[in-house]
Amino acid sequence: MKKTLFIFIALLSSVLTLRAETPLERMERLVAEGDSAAMYRLSYILETGQGGLPVDSLRADSLLRASAERGYAPACNLLGFRYFETSPDSMLMWIERAATSNPPDPMAMNNLGWLLANGEGGVKRDLKKARYWYERGAAAGVPASMTSLADMLMQAPEAPEDSVRARTLLREAAAKGFRPAGEKLYLLLSQEFETLTPEQALTEGIDYYHDRIFSVSAPLFMQAAKADLPYALALLAQSYAEGLGVDYNYDHAMHLFWHAALLGDPSAAYIVGETLQQFPDAFAEESTSDPEQRTPEEWLRVAGQGGVGDAHDAVARLKP
């Protein structure tokens, strides 16, 4: 019995002293086992000092090369760009290996396209090859490749449908959050947008807004707001309040919310009322333009009459 009890206590003690493996310990173990992805991640951590670890560039470089030599595509891609200013041949060799690995690194496809399209890094300019790699990068969902391919299609269209495809590519890239694509898309469509009525501009703007293509939605809201459309003013105010397609500007956002509230937008009316409850002087300058000199509670009542009864309702109408 005593022996059994002793064994039980010993086992219990060993269990209590066990602890979970930390993420860094697990990564080090995987590196020791030859895991190329872990080598790449640890290389980045040591290069940047992430997580409070001391920077160790020498070991970081060693791990990056070891990962690349084992065929890990992201490591091949990064190692290639380390040769950008010193050895074009080595740079191309590693980036091409990254782009053709199994699985490949989609960013390497985009990088090859960029090098070939611009003749960068000592690489001979070759637009045909550049397009090939941009096509592959775009097919893999890389927004930069989609945007660059759209540029090529617009500059030298080979068929009538190229311009349509260019728009589609830019829209897809912009919807992924790639702001340059949204800006190019707006420039591409700006002449068409100029022919829209304020109501049409608002409808188009809402469509792009919900697709999170703010570089297009914000200018369309501005276009519609010039006609004092209440909802356009409120959406433009929200854009300024969050920096969506425009530079963040709280004061201008509140000015626009006030204007939209005066014209009857319920979300704006709620925001004005709630703001005045907390900060009675928030609209001191604007208040002279309200002929009824409404109290915060009266603004909230206006919002309620428009179907906005609380902050959730107000924001729901304005969020992308």
Side-chain angles (χ1 to χ4, degrees):
M1 178 66 180
K2 289 183 179 180
K3 183 177 181 181
T4 303
L5 182 62
F6 175 79
I7 293 172
F8 173 76
I9 291 173
L11 287 172
L12 180 61
S13 176
S14 65
V15 168
L16 290 174
T17 57
L18 286 176
R19 62 178 179 81
E21 189 178 40
T22 68
L24 181 59
E25 288 171 339
R26 180 176 184 277
M27 194 176 297
E28 287 282 14
R29 175 173 58 77
L30 291 173
V31 166
E33 293 171 0
D35 187 304
S36 57
M39 291 175 182
Y40 178 71
R41 289 194 295 272
L42 185 55
S43 170
Y44 175 79
I45 291 170
L46 293 171
E47 184 67 36
T48 60
Q50 194 181 69
L53 285 178
V55 172
D56 187 343
S57 297
L58 190 63
R59 189 181 178 211
D61 287 344
S62 175
L63 286 169
L64 177 65
R65 180 169 291 277
S67 178
E69 287 174 348
R70 284 168 171 76
Y72 188 60
C76 295
N77 181 49
L78 180 56
L79 183 59
F81 265 101
R82 294 282 176 89
Y83 288 104
F84 184 80
E85 295 182 352
T86 58
S87 175
D89 290 340
S90 296
M91 176 184 67
L92 270 180
M93 179 194 75
W94 284 112
I95 297 177
E96 285 178 346
R97 184 177 296 184
T100 56
S101 293
N102 186 21
D105 181 2
M107 282 307 302
M109 300 172 184
N110 178 73
N111 292 338
L112 275 178
W114 179 76
L115 289 168
L116 291 161
N118 297 283
E120 294 285 351
V123 176
K124 184 179 178 181
R125 194 165 183 256
D126 189 326
L127 293 179
K128 186 176 180 180
K129 287 183 179 179
R131 176 165 176 171
Y132 169 80
W133 286 111
Y134 279 147
E135 289 276 9
R136 292 198 62 188
V142 180
S145 289
M146 295 175 180
T147 305
S148 296
L149 179 56
D151 279 341
M152 297 184 86
L153 292 171
M154 289 186 291
Q155 290 171 12
E158 298 176 358
E161 59 268 19
D162 281 353
S163 61
V164 176
R165 188 181 177 211
R167 294 187 190 193
T168 301
L169 286 166
L170 289 175
R171 183 154 189 161
E172 289 178 3
K176 289 175 178 284
F178 194 58
R179 187 166 181 171
E183 293 168 350
K184 288 177 182 290
L185 181 61
Y186 181 75
L187 289 174
L188 179 63
L189 301 176
S190 58
Q191 288 187 336
E192 293 181 22
F193 290 154
E194 289 174 2
T195 66
L196 299 177
T197 66
E199 292 76 13
Q200 289 171 332
L202 174 58
T203 299
E204 285 282 325
I206 291 170
D207 188 27
Y208 283 101
Y209 190 63
H210 289 310
D211 278 347
R212 306 189 69 81
I213 306 176
F214 305 123
S215 297
V216 178
S217 64
L220 286 168
F221 291 154
M222 290 178 189
Q223 186 174 331
K226 290 177 181 177
D228 280 343
L229 298 185
Y231 194 30
L233 284 160
L235 288 169
L236 184 57
Q238 188 68 23
S239 297
Y240 275 105
E242 295 191 50
L244 305 177
V246 290
D247 292 335
Y248 167 79
N249 189 325
Y250 176 81
D251 291 338
H252 190 48
M254 298 311 290
H255 172 76
L256 289 168
F257 277 131
W258 176 267
H259 193 179
L262 282 178
L263 292 170
D265 182 81
S267 291
Y270 188 92
I271 290 168
V272 167
E274 188 176 56
T275 302
L276 285 171
Q277 283 184 331
Q278 299 177 43
F279 309 102
D281 297 327
F283 296 98
E285 293 183 13
E286 288 89 350
S287 61
T288 57
S289 61
D290 178 17
E292 301 179 35
Q293 293 296 297
R294 279 165 281 206
T295 65
E297 291 69 29
E298 287 171 331
W299 278 117
L300 294 176
R301 194 155 44 247
V302 170
Q305 291 168 353
V308 173
D310 56 29
H312 179 270
D313 292 341
V315 171
R317 291 183 67 248
L318 301 177
K319 281 290 187 181

